[in-house]
Amino acid sequence: MLFTITLLVIIGYVAWRLLQEENPLDKLPGPPRKPIVGCAFEFIGMTPQGLFKRMRHYAKVFGDRYVVKVMSRRILHIHSVKDVEIVLAHSKNIQKSKPYTFLEAWLGTGLLLSTGSKWHRRRKILTPTFHFNILKNFAVVMEERSRVLVEKLKPLDGLDVSLMPVISDYTLVTICETAMGTQLDSDKSTAALKYKSAIMEIGSLLLSRLTRVWMHNEFLFRQLPTGRKFKKCLNTVRSFADNVIMERKKDWKPGQGDFSGDADIGTKKRLAMLDLLLEAENKGEIDMEGIREEVNTFMFEGHDTTAMALVLGLMLIADHEEIQERIYEEVNSILGDSDRAVTMADLAEMKYLEAVIKETLRLYPSVPFIARTITEDFMLDDLKIVKGSEVAVHIYDLHRREDLYTNPEEFRPERFLNGEVIHPYAFVPFSAGPRNCIGQRFAMLEMKTVLSSICRNFKVYPRVKGARPEMVADMLLRPADPVQVKFVKR
Ligand code: HEM
């Protein structure tokens, strides 16, 4: 009986292979592919650090294009500027691939995960949220929050500070106030505190899941302790967000989410992205479920990405005293001795700081790769990519290519001021093309606000000069060990 079943499986598999059209991706290099499982065994037992290093190794040994086959999935990995441009600029192939689906239980099919006409509709509704006038409102929140952060750091003068907890607290509180209009830190209710820690925990549970293949199956995941914890956190996060949305809706009047005017944040009720969504609901453009999806999407995309960039930026600044001094001089030349709140115009003048942030994002792009499922055959120059294949764009490897950057491993902000970065797709930390990051101007403002404020108030020192953490990559690029620096008051 067993023999017959095995024979039938083998015959079925051979027939299926013979009937399949030859896929051009099978001719590309990549780790050894075994029948049925493909390269799956290559990754078994690998640590997250090991996986990160292995991907860098593949880029070196296999060159610009390589294929990793896992069971029947063919994943084309690319990092040359020419290929990256074709994929990111494609107007139809905008569907996200498998790893993103782990986020669906939390984010639904909000802007990050949706595709097709739903994505187009949502992008249209949400684009005005990042208009200059609205960002001006959000910049005030960022500035106030960065003052609070500086006050929190003052008593830690000269001590080793683990950056991630303090910085992610800042970005979480900021995005919560701008997205939902809720002040997490002044609201000391149990619900707000639980929400904050549930969001943090979801991040680490997602990392566990992504790096452990056996947790990829939905049914199994739900039975495991990590899956059960994940569900508990999701319930906390959902009910908090739902309450905030309902509360805001109770007081809401038509026109409140009209951001077109030059609203004065000091005197009016503070506007949040949620107001714009409630305005869209009033016009019948989105329903309550949609609002929930988008609020959660902004909470997810809007805090961890920026926190990661700030942590690694501070690590690099701490290690380069001369760069830190240039930031200090630039900020002082704009603000002088005044203690006034920094404005958008001040921030626009901080060109050197902007170059420092860009150089940080070049070396450590918070989103190190982007993955698409191909829904329509297309030509990648000379290579046909057929529907159903997946393409992974490695921003991390692109940003460290020697044909694009001189001494790519070096931290040299000047390269963003001296015209070294020419090709529009050579530097894409916020992606590019139709699915680029909708929050990039928000993120740049936030990073400039907080870094200028820190550099004005402190000298930052590394714990160990020249030390660089090993990295891991889930959806985001993260240091494997905590990054620590010393803040010494100026
Ligand atoms: C340093 C900070 C940030 C980086 C490096 C970053 C990077 C990215 C990248 C690479 C994508 C494309 C993802 C993909 O195609 O799979 C993306 C999309 C997105 N980002 Fe950001 N992001 C940052 C901050 C933010 C912030 C602050 C917000 C919101 C306030 C935000 C909201 C979004 C959303 C909603 C999308 C999906 C856009 C769409 O598909 O239409 N991001 N981001």
Side-chain angles (χ1 to χ4, degrees):
M1 180 66 176
L2 186 66
F3 175 75
T4 319
I5 293 173
T6 317
L7 194 67
L8 283 175
V9 169
I10 294 172
I11 293 171
Y13 174 70
V14 172
W16 173 69
R17 285 302 303 260
L18 288 175
L19 285 173
Q20 265 190 336
E21 225 184 282
E22 196 176 76
N23 191 318
L25 293 188
D26 292 338
K27 295 205 175 92
L28 293 185
R33 294 157 206 157
K34 305 240 166 10
I36 304 181
V37 292
C39 318
F41 289 146
E42 289 279 308
F43 303 102
I44 283 183
M46 202 173 268
T47 60
Q49 287 102 304
L51 183 61
F52 183 80
K53 280 194 199 144
R54 179 66 65 88
M55 298 316 286
R56 308 294 70 81
H57 173 71
Y58 286 164
K60 284 221 159 59
V61 298
F62 298 128
D64 290 352
R65 295 170 178 171
Y66 60 92
V67 170
V68 175
K69 193 164 179 252
V70 181
M71 315 301 279
S72 59
R73 288 170 62 201
R74 287 179 182 83
I75 308 151
L76 168 68
H77 295 255
I78 56 167
H79 55 95
S80 80
V81 73
K82 205 165 145 201
D83 286 350
V84 169
E85 175 166 11
I86 298 173
V87 171
L88 294 186
H90 203 281
S91 59
K92 302 271 171 51
N93 281 312
I94 56 165
Q95 186 168 311
K96 304 294 173 78
S97 69
K98 174 95 179 167
Y100 295 82
T101 53
F102 300 147
L103 291 167
E104 227 173 272
W106 177 20
L107 310 182
T109 43
L111 194 60
L112 180 71
L113 302 181
S114 59
T115 190
S117 60
K118 178 169 180 180
W119 172 77
H120 276 282
R121 269 198 321 277
R122 291 284 171 87
R123 184 91 189 190
K124 209 168 145 206
I125 297 173
L126 287 160
T127 297
T129 315
F130 297 96
H131 183 273
F132 183 80
N133 276 345
I134 302 158
L135 284 179
K136 239 168 44 184
N137 286 271
F138 298 158
V140 176
V141 176
M142 292 166 190
E143 204 273 335
E144 282 178 5
R145 297 288 139 216
S146 64
R147 276 178 196 256
V148 175
L149 173 63
V150 164
E151 290 311 312
K152 271 193 193 156
L153 291 176
K154 279 185 181 164
L156 305 175
D157 192 53
L159 301 175
D160 288 334
V161 177
S162 189
L163 285 175
M164 198 55 193
V166 240
I167 297 294
S168 62
D169 199 76
Y170 163 80
T171 55
L172 183 58
V173 165
T174 307
I175 191 67
C176 202
E177 192 167 343
T178 45
M180 297 199 271
T182 301
Q183 295 188 346
L184 271 190
D185 57 348
S186 57
D187 179 358
K188 295 276 182 238
S189 66
T190 331
L193 293 176
K194 272 194 183 163
Y195 176 73
K196 203 153 111 180
S197 56
I199 294 240
M200 302 279 188
E201 198 170 350
I202 283 181
S204 64
L205 295 172
L206 271 173
L207 173 65
S208 290
R209 183 173 190 191
L210 263 158
T211 49
R212 290 169 177 81
V213 177
W214 65 92
M215 289 193 195
H216 288 194
N217 178 281
E218 197 54 47
F219 176 77
L220 263 181
F221 180 67
R222 271 191 249 140
Q223 320 307 316
L224 295 168
T226 313
R228 289 200 295 271
K229 256 194 242 162
F230 187 71
K231 185 159 187 267
K232 212 169 145 207
C233 291
L234 272 189
N235 289 342
T236 309
V237 166
R238 280 213 200 106
S239 72
F240 182 83
D242 283 2
N243 278 338
V244 172
I245 297 170
M246 292 324 289
E247 284 298 312
R248 196 93 182 170
K249 194 171 154 70
K250 257 201 289 184
D251 301 337
W252 188 83
K253 296 176 198 70
Q256 188 174 309
D258 177 6
F259 285 94
S260 54
D262 210 358
D264 175 1
I265 189 109
T267 52
K268 288 194 183 169
K269 185 183 165 125
R270 291 211 164 162
L271 296 172
M273 295 175 193
L274 179 52
D275 294 313
L276 187 124
L277 289 165
L278 289 169
E279 191 75 46
E281 192 215 5
N282 190 45
K283 290 186 201 147
E285 292 169 353
I286 194 168
D287 59 11
M288 278 311 281
E289 184 53 35
I291 293 186
R292 207 172 284 135
E293 285 176 345
E294 297 310 343
V295 164
N296 288 330
T297 296
F298 281 112
M299 288 302 302
F300 167 72
E301 272 291 311
H303 90 277
D304 230 7
T305 42
T306 322
M308 239 40 270
L310 284 170
V311 165
L312 294 160
L314 281 166
M315 173 190 84
L316 292 166
I317 289 172
D319 229 10
H320 293 82
E321 210 180 325
E322 66 300 345
I323 292 178
Q324 203 180 130
E325 281 314 298
R326 264 190 84 175
I327 301 174
Y328 177 72
E329 278 161 23
E330 181 178 74
V331 177
N332 260 3
S333 73
I334 296 165
L335 296 174
D337 293 335
S338 155
D339 191 36
R340 69 177 171 78
V342 67
T343 63
M344 298 250 295
D346 297 326
L347 295 174
E349 273 186 62
M350 297 180 191
K351 299 286 182 220
Y352 185 71
L353 179 57
E354 189 169 308
V356 170
I357 295 171
K358 285 183 173 168
E359 180 66 346
T360 302
L361 287 170
R362 180 186 71 80
L363 283 170
Y364 297 110
S366 314
V367 180
F369 73 94
I370 286 170
R372 298 270 189 276
T373 294
I374 300 309
T375 49
E376 202 171 272
D377 293 1
F378 78 106
M379 292 303 292
L380 188 62
D381 202 8
D382 54 335
L383 178 71
K384 184 172 179 191
I385 313 286
V386 297
K387 186 175 159 180
S389 325
E390 292 169 55
V391 179
V393 175
H394 286 278
I395 300 177
Y396 185 93
D397 296 315
L398 170 80
H399 283 181
R400 290 177 184 240
R401 284 180 69 105
E402 287 180 354
D403 57 354
L404 297 174
Y405 297 98
T406 340
N407 299 327
E409 302 293 324
E410 266 176 35
F411 180 60
R412 290 206 291 121
E414 294 73 26
R415 63 175 101 239
F416 283 96
L417 298 169
N418 65 12
E420 179 181 325
V421 191
I422 303 165
H423 196 291
Y425 282 78
F427 176 69
V428 287
F430 295 106
S431 184
R435 283 216 88 149
N436 68 352
C437 173
I438 198 172
Q440 60 182 290
R441 288 205 297 154
F442 179 108
M444 285 305 287
L445 267 186
E446 185 173 5
M447 290 187 284
K448 276 180 149 181
T449 308
V450 72
L451 288 177
S452 59
S453 182
I454 287 178
C455 290
R456 263 195 111 190
N457 286 282
F458 303 98
K459 280 193 173 187
V460 193
Y461 294 97
R463 200 166 80 91
V464 182
K465 178 98 182 129
R468 295 286 177 273
E470 283 196 36
M471 302 306 288
V472 296
D474 50 288
M475 306 292 288
L476 295 190
L477 180 71
R478 302 172 194 277
D481 298 305
V483 174
Q484 297 187 348
V485 298
K486 284 184 181 45
F487 294 95
V488 174
K489 275 186 251 170
R490 281 197 184 262

